[in-house]
Amino acid sequence: MTDAKKPWIAGAISLAMLPGFLGILLGVPAAIGQSSEQTTAHPPGKTLFDFKDSDVKFSVQTLMNILRDNRHEGWVLAAYPDPKTSRPLIGAGFSLDVAATEHPQTDPLNENLFLEPSSAELWQAAGLEPERLQRILERFNRDLESWTKKRYRRKVMQHSLAPELTEEEAMRLLRISAIEAIHNARAYCRNFDELSGPQQLALSQLVFQMGVNLEGFVEFLSALNGDTSYRDLSMPDGVRATDAETWRLVQRTLVESQWARRYTTRAQTVIAMFDPDYARDPGRAIRLVNAMLPPPVEKHRRRRPPVHALRAGVDGGHSGSPPGKKSRIERKRQVT
């Protein structure tokens, strides 16, 4: 069997094999995801996928700080509903009820495998008790039934939900999720180790925020991996693009995406990080991206009538009666 075929076989790991495969990586029993009596929580001192901070060229803490920012994922220490799906989230958007997902590696030139563990597996890998997750989910479901979604969101904005995690526990969940994103970023990008620190950070952030939906960014992934199936049409045939031109193409594929049009403010920094000169001059890189991005989408709100229109009946001697009709006072004057 040739080496070129091995990634295809490895990428076809079935969902049934996932708990055992995850156990090998984490150093925990293969029974994770089964009954709580048969499992042991992952020791909090270990990290997912035997990851070391020195494996990447950026600070993992920097990524975590970005993700817990209110302009990105936010930071809530109690379970709350996703604004779109109403599914339970906690911390910096950690999903509490996601099942393990099969995510085959379809790139025969990339030997790195995708891994999409369940929420329960990541929860235990962070050193948290399975029974506690179940209690949080039960409480969330009760509250979601008794409260309206709008009321739930209001409580989140007012910080009136009782904390269900400590800051330290939420940070452990965030770190385990960030490391999972870095792991899968390698599976998306063949030359991940050759990227600059900002480029690795940008790709890891995209994976964290989009998950398997990043598969839909076909042009971006093609340009990122240097495939000839998607190239800059402005380049003459046979002319090899420079490194700077290649990264401008990568950026352009993101600029032209619906994601960039919908989340312009968030997108500008992420896209700018793919500029090979970002570390030297971040401001210039961001300005170049801003010149390519469309203006942010404005949310249209119903306008209230001007104050002077509402007060027309009492200010300036106007009666406020419809045109052509006399006010009750004027009719009374005519009678008398």
Side-chain angles (χ1 to χ4, degrees), residues 19-28 50:
F21 182 56
L22 182 66
I24 294 173
L25 292 173
L26 298 178
V28 295
D50 294 326

Side-chain angles (χ1 to χ4, degrees), residues 30-87:
I32 281 184
Q34 300 175 12
S35 64
S36 59
E37 291 81 9
Q38 298 174 331
T39 62
T40 303
H42 180 59
K46 288 191 176 182
T47 53
L48 191 59
F49 310 129
D50 294 326
F51 175 82
K52 302 186 298 295
D53 284 18
S54 59
D55 291 342
V56 291
K57 300 176 183 177
F58 64 90
S59 167
V60 178
Q61 187 62 49
T62 298
L63 174 60
M64 294 168 63
N65 291 340
I66 292 172
L67 297 174
R68 65 176 292 182
D69 191 299
N70 287 332
R71 292 170 296 179
H72 294 79
E73 302 303 323
W75 192 247
V76 184
L77 298 181
Y80 64 96
D82 183 283
K84 294 183 179 179
T85 66
S86 295
R87 302 290 290 274

Side-chain angles (χ1 to χ4, degrees), residues 319-327 330-331:
S319 66
S321 301
K325 290 189 177 182
K326 296 181 180 180
S327 68
E330 291 174 329
R331 290 197 301 271

Side-chain angles (χ1 to χ4, degrees), residues 90-143:
I90 202 167
F94 179 87
S95 298
L96 291 171
D97 66 345
V98 172
T101 305
E102 186 175 353
H103 189 173
Q105 174 58 276
T106 58
D107 183 355
L109 301 179
N110 193 332
E111 62 182 11
N112 297 295
L113 305 179
F114 291 102
L115 194 59
E116 308 286 352
S118 67
S119 300
E121 289 166 330
L122 290 172
W123 181 273
Q124 292 184 69
L128 302 177
E129 303 82 4
E131 296 80 6
R132 189 174 175 192
L133 173 60
Q134 189 60 36
R135 290 196 300 269
I136 291 175
L137 286 173
E138 290 173 355
R139 196 275 311 158
F140 170 83
N141 290 328
R142 287 196 304 269
D143 289 345

Side-chain angles (χ1 to χ4, degrees), residues 182-201:
I182 295 170
H183 172 89
N184 286 335
R186 293 181 184 276
Y188 278 116
C189 182
R190 301 168 197 156
N191 61 335
F192 182 85
D193 290 334
E194 299 175 15
L195 302 181
S196 67
Q199 290 168 343
Q200 288 184 348
L201 175 59

Side-chain angles (χ1 to χ4, degrees), residues 238-259:
V239 176
R240 187 178 181 84
T242 64
D243 185 62
E245 290 168 338
T246 297
W247 286 111
R248 278 198 295 271
L249 174 60
V250 171
Q251 289 179 304
R252 190 176 302 119
T253 61
L254 289 176
V255 167
E256 295 172 353
S257 68
Q258 291 185 359
W259 166 74

Side-chain angles (χ1 to χ4, degrees), residues 122-239:
L122 290 172
W123 181 273
Q124 292 184 69
L128 302 177
E129 303 82 4
E131 296 80 6
R132 189 174 175 192
L133 173 60
Q134 189 60 36
R135 290 196 300 269
I136 291 175
L137 286 173
E138 290 173 355
R139 196 275 311 158
F140 170 83
N141 290 328
R142 287 196 304 269
D143 289 345
L144 191 62
E145 288 182 4
S146 59
W147 299 343
T148 63
K149 182 179 175 181
K150 185 176 181 180
R151 181 184 175 189
Y152 220 134
R153 294 297 301 173
R154 188 184 303 120
K155 286 180 174 290
V156 172
M157 300 302 295
Q158 295 173 346
H159 306 286
S160 60
L161 293 175
E164 295 173 301
L165 291 178
T166 65
E167 284 277 342
E168 188 269 339
E169 290 169 337
M171 288 298 289
R172 276 154 52 186
L173 274 181
L174 177 55
R175 179 177 172 85
I176 218 78
S177 301
I179 293 172
E180 179 197 4
I182 295 170
H183 172 89
N184 286 335
R186 293 181 184 276
Y188 278 116
C189 182
R190 301 168 197 156
N191 61 335
F192 182 85
D193 290 334
E194 299 175 15
L195 302 181
S196 67
Q199 290 168 343
Q200 288 184 348
L201 175 59
L203 182 57
S204 300
Q205 187 176 336
L206 280 174
V207 175
F208 183 97
Q209 293 170 346
M210 299 185 187
V212 296
N213 293 328
L214 192 59
E215 288 281 5
F217 286 61
V218 178
E219 292 84 2
F220 165 71
L221 295 175
S222 180
L224 181 67
N225 286 299
D227 292 341
T228 57
S229 57
Y230 185 83
R231 63 181 183 86
D232 190 345
L233 297 179
S234 64
M235 296 290 296
D237 292 339
V239 176

